Amino acid sequence: MKKQLEKTYDPASFEDRIFHTWEEKGYFHAEIDPDKKPYTIVIPPPNITGQLHMGHALDETLQDILIRFKRMQGFSALWLPGTDHASIATEAKIVEAMREEGLTKEQIGREEFLRRAWAWKEKYAGRILEQLKKLGSSCDFARERFTLDEGCSKAVREVFVRLYEKGLIYRGERIINWCPHCKTSISDAEVEFVEKEGSFWHIRYPFKDGSGYLELATTRPETMLGDTAVAVHPDDERYRDLVGKTLILPIVGREIPVIADEYVEMDFGTGVVKITPAHDPNDFEVGLRHNLPVINVMDEGGNINENGGRFAGMSGAEARAQIVRELDEAGLLIKTEPIKHNVGTCYRCRTAVEPRVSKQWFVKMQPLAGPAVKCVEEKEIKFIPERMEKIYYNWMSNIKDWCISRQLWWGHRIPAWYCADCGETIVSREDPCVCPKCGSKNLSQDEDTLDTWFSSALWPFSTLGWPEQTEELKYFYPTDTLVTGYDIIFFWVARMIFSGLEHMGEVPFKTVFFHGLVRDGQGRKMSKSLGNGIDPLEVIKEYGADALRFTLVTGNSPGNDLRFTTEKVEASRNFANKIWNAARFVQMNLDIDETGLPELTAMEDKWIVSRFNTLVREVTENLDKFEIGVAAAKVYEFIWDCFCDWYIELVKPRLYEKGTQACLSAQKVLVYVLTETLKLLHPFMPFITEEIWQTLPHEGDSIIISPWPEYSAEREYPAEEKQMELIMGAIRGVRNIRSQMNVPVSRKAKLVIVTKDKELFQSGTVFFEKLAAASSVETADSPESAGENAVSVVVEGASIFIPLDDLVDRVKEIARLEGEQARLKAEIERVEKKLSNEKFVSKAPEAVVAEERKKKEKYQNMLADVEKSLAALK
RNA sequence: GAGGGUAUAGCUCAGCUGGUUAGAGUGCUUGCUUGACAUGCAAGAGGUCGUUGGUUCAAGUCCAACUAUCCUCACCA
């Protein structure tokens, strides 16, 4: 005999145990199997900076649902897990931890720093994997990867060298975004603009010849130390004659020219702009056009450097205050007005970004962007939902070169060496010993590392062994589905696409399935600073992983954000509890240990099997369409409404007739429908489905590798479905009227069913007795036997009379029936109006018209019945 | 400045390729120790589907404009 289910549903008591068994048995391992089709998902590697949050929980749940579904369908389903070294974020965390010990990076040196970083990685990557397991993620853990492991590093190096050799990677002095806190360059994508209150200082720059002043305004007066020109618009009448004249830069004393450039907006401010090529991206461009000198006045910490003369050593803020004061004293400050403007900030530390000219490595984007756009346009890669394509095109079409070098230690070191003797740059797959140009051994490697996204961009193929031509790569690449949030479409999705095309010659994935952000109950982003984050592990502890997973995928459609509340988790937990109890009920009424369907004779058996069959089709179709929420809702509805509230109740009488054929067949159908439904639910709620499945008759070792149910036309019973609908409608009708009249269930009453289909309603006798508090059921051609004082309810196919003598109030009853009469008349009128519209009849599809005709007939029959009842009462 | 999302029951949201008597969960009301489940059962109230037009035999669903709200990108010194 199999183990009995515990009386109460307690997920904490079995979830871990089940997961360990799965792992031990190796169910998550995907083999290269020529007899199977591959299905591959690579995980969006979580950063090793911390722990999984609710957004991860959603992401992993969706992936796990797809993987489990495909695995059951017989694919060799690989879900490849791993983590991301997250260079800038991790380095920041480590630096911060060191500061608490009173240490700096420079003090301990590169080697020691990296040792600490690896220790950090060991700790946090392990923690993340544990969290994945708590969620039930069926990753192939044997294939775990890390963006900075040996294989990924090899891929990064190969890519770098290739792109360099093709001229798609170059090094140059450009204006880049500099984070003074992280002390590194960051890419355009890593800058976030935030609206801040600032000041707009209006100042005067005097002409050298003493002929007056030019007025201009700035939000950053300290950058004037690096001004090398003042610009006006070439068409600006006011200043046309001044172009070419020389100004004396206040405080600094440098002579700078007045130039004309179309970049200047005549209508904004005074129409005069100071030009600081070293510290503003637009000014940099102007500088290039006019051959202006570039004077960098800030160091890597955002402080004024030696080019700032006597201001050297001051912080930006100090210099600003001092310069404003001096300008004011010199009578050159006209006014200061408050202004709201957008300030670029570092997406990791929120520090204001300092645009700064420096020598960095870049990827030339234009040649890569073209094919990347094309493959989406041509649907080689499908975006779900489709609208995400627009966001992608929008970004791709305005793309600028990608700054990939970072002044950090934690990351892939740039494989470039410089010859101290001849200045040659060497980029190669192997570390060079001598300069190929001059033979010097005096080589030094570039100090910088690569943007963390440079390695994540290669993730779909680097994890499968590339640049080696491995069997895994051949079998599992391109991957099938990428599941991720829309917030990293630029950082990651776009870069994987052009990288896959460039290096593999093939798209990295066929479908990108975007989900939204998980928000709190008020719709706010969950964040540390707001303190409104909910820890998925806490939820799992209290409600179970199944409840959490179910919550994250129900009532939500692709790409849309969702609000997370514990009320929803409770509802999911209640659902799990419902299944648990249904299974317990089945189990405690079970005398057999076999699977499979018996010969179906009973109407209710055919009904539930037919409904289940439909469910199989719907769930499969919706999962194929990534309509996870719809698929989940279908299973929910089937289990709760069809199976529990109706089918189990319907067969209870049979179950209590021990030893009969009817009893045995009911058991078989119960087991069949329940175990097969558990399979459909398994991708969503893996733990409870396995736990229950193991206690019921089943074939195979685990539900996780059991075959996905298949739709079969032979198991459709439309006639019985219709019959059951009529019976159920009648039961609902009787319950309804009894409830309205406040008749307690304990007071049974006779039903006189006036119908043309006596056989059908007679066969439902036991259901009426059980579910509609009927003492007996009589079918008849007229309601005479119900006596004078009977209420009646008209349902499709029958009028039901209930003699409730003392409770019947004829006046109320007449009013009620008249209400019903009016409702039906309105319905009929509506349908008739449609049907009398010649255009509708001629243009609408035949099936739609036929449907309306059927409706009309049905309502007319019901109306006739209601009117008969009314006539009898009157 | 450019692009996009959302607007359906008190609340949170479904409603796929136009045809349903507009749905679910939750909340609310009423009645139930109905031989698994009160984390439950049954019945019920509650919606002019943001506004105005248009397309169509037919619009919650498609189109346009508007209003509200959220987001992304760009950024004017």
Side-chain angles (χ1 to χ4, degrees):
Chain A
M1 203 56 205
K2 293 197 163 57
K3 186 184 99 163
Q4 293 288 307
L5 290 171
E6 297 293 325
K7 189 152 187 333
T8 52
Y9 167 62
D10 177 19
S13 70
F14 60 82
E15 290 190 347
D16 286 348
R17 188 194 73 228
I18 285 177
F19 197 88
H20 287 138
T21 311
W22 286 336
E23 256 199 303
E24 259 167 41
K25 299 264 175 124
Y27 296 140
F28 304 158
H29 186 61
E31 300 276 0
I32 295 173
D33 183 345
D35 296 332
K36 288 182 175 180
K37 280 194 195 162
Y39 179 81
T40 316
I41 294 179
V42 289
I43 200 169
N47 289 349
I48 54 161
T49 41
Q51 42 193 354
L52 299 189
H53 56 244
M54 213 43 99
H56 290 114
L58 170 62
D59 196 47
E60 316 311 355
T61 298
L62 293 171
Q63 292 171 72
D64 197 44
I65 287 169
L66 295 174
I67 278 288
R68 285 179 188 268
F69 168 54
K70 293 291 180 178
R71 189 186 289 124
M72 289 171 79
Q73 278 191 325
F75 287 80
S76 185
L78 169 62
W79 184 12
L80 200 152
T83 45
D84 194 308
H85 68 285
S87 64
I88 187 166
T90 307
E91 181 152 332
K93 291 248 175 188
I94 297 168
V95 168
E96 196 181 313
M98 288 190 335
R99 202 177 51 212
E100 280 165 25
E101 293 176 50
L103 291 172
T104 67
K105 267 169 74 179
E106 289 68 25
Q107 279 169 343
I108 64 169
R110 192 162 191 145
E111 206 177 313
E112 168 60 15
F113 181 84
L114 289 178
R115 198 194 56 74
R116 283 176 181 246
W118 278 102
W120 176 284
K121 185 261 167 182
E122 287 312 315
K123 185 174 164 191
Y124 284 95
R127 183 186 283 192
I128 283 164
L129 291 178
E130 282 314 305
Q131 291 174 324
L132 280 175
K133 292 176 184 180
K134 284 276 180 194
L135 265 171
S137 312
S138 59
C139 303
D140 189 347
F141 291 99
R143 296 185 194 267
E144 182 206 338
R145 296 298 297 272
F146 179 54
T147 49
L148 203 50
D149 66 20
E150 204 185 324
C152 288
S153 301
K154 204 168 170 197
V156 164
R157 181 133 178 195
E158 176 66 26
V159 163
F160 190 96
V161 175
R162 276 193 192 188
L163 291 177
Y164 181 77
E165 286 170 351
K166 276 183 90 170
L168 292 175
I169 278 186
Y170 63 90
R171 191 176 190 228
E173 284 249 323
R174 295 293 157 90
I175 188 143
I176 46 88
N177 309 292
W178 182 267
C179 174
H181 179 258
C182 302
K183 292 198 171 55
T184 179
S185 55
I186 55 177
S187 67
D188 293 341
E190 289 166 312
V191 178
E192 272 177 14
F193 286 89
V194 191
E195 191 176 69
K196 286 190 178 169
E197 299 280 344
S199 295
F200 207 31
W201 285 276
H202 292 253
I203 50 189
R204 286 188 179 123
Y205 281 15
F207 286 105
K208 186 186 174 190
D209 58 14
S211 61
Y213 305 89
L214 258 188
E215 283 182 17
L216 52 83
T218 178
T219 53
R220 305 179 62 214
E222 68 279 15
T223 62
M224 69 179 284
L225 299 173
D227 282 3
T228 52
V230 163
V232 296
H233 195 279
D235 300 337
D236 197 328
E237 301 288 344
R238 295 170 293 178
Y239 306 115
R240 182 167 289 170
D241 299 338
L242 305 176
V243 175
K245 290 187 77 167
T246 301
L247 295 162
I248 303 293
L249 185 60
I251 296 177
V252 180
R254 180 160 58 235
E255 294 186 7
I256 57 173
V258 178
I259 59 169
D261 195 284
E262 301 197 338
Y263 150 69
V264 180
E265 296 253 347
M266 286 187 271
D267 307 331
F268 189 82
T270 56
V272 184
V273 190
K274 65 194 244 347
I275 301 296
T276 322
H279 298 289
D280 182 285
N282 291 308
D283 292 8
F284 183 79
E285 295 297 322
V286 174
L288 285 182
R289 287 197 283 274
H290 297 269
N291 266 319
L292 298 175
V294 176
I295 302 177
N296 189 340
V297 296
M298 263 176 232
D299 70 10
E300 57 184 31
N303 302 316
I304 306 301
N305 65 13
E306 66 281 4
N307 292 328
R310 60 195 158 84
F311 297 91
M314 286 188 196
S315 73
E318 285 163 358
R320 173 181 297 183
Q322 180 68 21
I323 285 169
V324 169
R325 194 156 45 231
E326 289 187 19
L327 284 171
D328 195 16
E329 282 162 8
L332 295 171
L333 179 68
I334 304 161
K335 62 175 174 179
T336 308
E337 59 180 343
I339 189 175
K340 270 189 190 164
H341 61 152
N342 290 326
V343 178
T345 60
C346 171
Y347 85 130
R348 283 296 169 203
C349 70
R350 307 266 153 202
T351 307
V353 163
E354 210 54 72
R356 185 165 178 257
V357 169
S358 68
K359 208 169 204 180
Q360 302 286 347
W361 288 90
F362 296 87
V363 175
K364 200 178 276 179
M365 286 309 304
Q366 216 57 55
L368 295 168
V373 166
K374 202 170 149 212
C375 75
V376 176
E377 281 173 346
E378 291 175 353
K379 302 285 175 197
E380 257 188 274
I381 299 178
K382 251 178 84 182
F383 281 15
I384 293 170
E386 214 172 38
R387 69 182 130 88
M388 297 298 174
E389 290 175 5
K390 287 181 200 161
I391 300 173
Y392 173 79
Y393 295 142
N394 196 2
W395 192 70
M396 276 302 210
S397 57
N398 301 313
I399 198 162
K400 289 189 208 147
D401 286 357
W402 175 18
C403 175
I404 51 170
S405 46
R406 297 288 179 277
Q407 289 64 55
L408 300 167
W409 286 348
W410 177 236
H412 302 271
R413 190 140 175 202
I414 290 175
W417 283 258
Y418 309 108
C419 175
D421 293 327
C422 71
E424 177 73 352
T425 298
I426 307 132
V427 170
S428 77
R429 289 172 180 83
E430 304 300 328
D431 292 8
C433 300
V434 295
C435 173
K437 196 173 166 198
C438 72
S440 162
K441 286 188 176 173
N442 205 354
L443 302 179
S444 59
Q445 188 174 2
D446 196 299
E447 290 294 321
D448 291 352
T449 53
L450 289 164
D451 182 0
T452 205
W453 297 102
F454 191 89
S455 57
S456 347
L458 319 180
W459 189 245
F461 47 94
S462 65
T463 50
L464 291 170
W466 192 88
E468 309 304 327
Q469 287 306 312
T470 59
E471 292 300 311
E472 273 80 5
L473 201 58
K474 275 185 220 153
Y475 185 72
F476 290 113
Y477 192 91
T479 70
D480 289 271
T481 311
L482 176 79
V483 181
T484 190
Y486 60 77
D487 51 329
I488 55 172
I489 186 163
F490 309 133
F491 284 119
W492 196 43
V493 179
R495 286 163 179 169
M496 276 192 287
I497 292 176
F498 66 68
S499 300
L501 291 171
E502 172 69 19
H503 306 294
M504 295 295 297
E506 244 182 312
V507 295
F509 28 71
K510 295 160 197 155
T511 307
V512 188
F513 175 32
F514 288 102
H515 58 252
L517 267 43
V518 184
R519 298 171 177 279
D520 73 1
Q522 280 103 60
R524 301 173 303 177
K525 258 189 203 178
M526 287 191 182
S527 74
K528 274 189 198 135
S529 52
L530 275 172
N532 61 344
I534 299 174
D535 181 356
L537 291 183
E538 292 295 317
V539 176
I540 290 172
K541 222 178 185 177
E542 194 173 347
Y543 300 96
D546 286 330
L548 172 63
R549 292 168 59 115
F550 202 78
T551 303
L552 288 168
V553 300
T554 35
N556 169 243
S557 48
N560 288 337
D561 293 351
L562 68 110
R563 297 190 191 203
F564 188 93
T565 59
T566 48
E567 287 75 30
K568 288 186 190 174
V569 189
E570 271 171 31
S572 302
R573 190 270 323 269
N574 293 352
F575 175 50
N577 184 63
K578 185 75 187 175
I579 302 161
W580 185 265
N581 281 292
R584 273 201 327 126
F585 176 81
V586 171
Q587 199 182 47
M588 56 182 41
N589 287 286
L590 207 57
D591 308 310
I592 51 164
D593 187 15
E594 50 190 285
T595 59
L597 273 178
E599 182 88 21
L600 297 180
T601 52
M603 171 173 65
E604 67 274 22
D605 291 354
K606 289 184 177 175
W607 168 76
I608 193 74
V609 167
S610 193
R611 291 295 302 267
F612 171 74
N613 197 40
T614 305
L615 177 72
V616 171
R617 184 166 45 76
E618 291 175 336
V619 172
T620 309
E621 278 174 4
N622 280 292
L623 285 177
D624 280 333
K625 287 191 297 188
F626 300 95
E627 288 286 353
I628 313 283
V630 176
K634 298 266 181 202
V635 185
Y636 180 99
E637 190 202 351
F638 178 82
I639 291 179
W640 205 310
D641 298 344
C642 295
F643 188 69
C644 293
D645 289 347
W646 284 102
Y647 187 70
I648 286 183
E649 297 303 327
L650 290 169
V651 298
K652 271 181 180 172
R654 285 163 65 189
L655 290 174
Y656 303 144
E657 299 288 321
K658 285 288 175 192
T660 61
Q661 199 54 45
C663 174
L664 277 180
S665 63
Q667 291 183 26
K668 286 180 185 170
V669 175
L670 279 170
V671 167
Y672 168 83
V673 175
L674 180 56
T675 52
E676 292 297 298
T677 307
L678 286 173
K679 289 185 186 176
L680 295 182
L681 183 64
H682 179 256
F684 308 92
M685 298 183 128
F687 294 110
I688 188 176
T689 49
E690 174 79 318
E691 180 72 357
I692 294 173
W693 193 79
Q694 293 291 355
T695 67
L696 293 170
H698 62 266
E699 275 162 31
D701 290 332
S702 167
I703 194 170
I704 195 175
I705 47 164
S706 66
W708 186 255
E710 275 185 42
Y711 169 83
S712 156
E714 284 168 27
R715 284 196 299 273
E716 263 194 12
Y717 298 100
E720 283 78 3
E721 279 201 44
K722 182 68 200 170
Q723 290 175 340
M724 276 308 299
E725 262 177 47
L726 294 180
I727 299 276
M728 288 159 71
I731 290 171
R732 284 196 194 97
V734 175
R735 281 171 174 171
N736 181 316
I737 195 104
R738 289 178 55 106
S739 174
Q740 276 186 36
M741 299 180 69
N742 284 318
V743 188
V745 181
S746 51
R747 174 167 174 175
K748 308 281 179 198
K750 182 168 92 169
L751 301 185
V752 176
I753 302 179
V754 177
T755 175
K756 288 186 190 125
D757 198 347
K758 287 186 195 153
E759 205 181 327
L760 171 65
F761 286 91
Q762 200 62 54
S763 73
T765 300
V766 67
F767 304 143
F768 289 110
E769 288 169 355
K770 177 81 184 145
L771 302 176
S775 54
S776 64
V777 177
E778 192 183 310
T779 49
D781 291 317
S782 74
E784 278 162 34
S785 58
E788 286 274 298
N789 284 318
V791 289
S792 67
V793 54
V794 174
V795 296
E796 190 182 358
S799 310
I800 303 169
F801 295 82
I802 314 170
L804 285 165
D805 311 306
D806 51 314
L807 294 175
V808 179
D809 178 332
R810 292 177 82 100
V811 178
K812 269 193 186 164
E813 185 59 10
I814 287 169
R816 199 179 53 77
L817 283 171
E818 279 172 347
E820 191 63 3
Q821 182 187 31
R823 189 186 68 86
L824 286 167
K825 275 184 175 167
E827 284 301 329
I828 291 166
E829 197 185 335
R830 201 179 50 78
V831 176
E832 274 179 342
K833 199 177 155 197
K834 244 185 180 178
L835 285 170
S836 63
N837 182 344
E838 203 185 309
K839 283 180 180 167
F840 170 72
V841 179
S842 61
K843 288 194 176 177
E846 241 174 78
V848 174
V849 179
E851 194 64 37
E852 290 299 319
R853 293 217 168 96
K854 256 167 106 183
K855 252 188 239 170
K856 182 181 165 186
E857 198 190 324
K858 176 178 123 184
Y859 291 136
Q860 279 177 333
N861 288 335
M862 288 172 73
L863 180 64
D865 285 351
V866 168
E867 283 169 348
K868 262 186 226 159
S869 295
L870 266 174
L873 268 177
K874 284 170 178 169

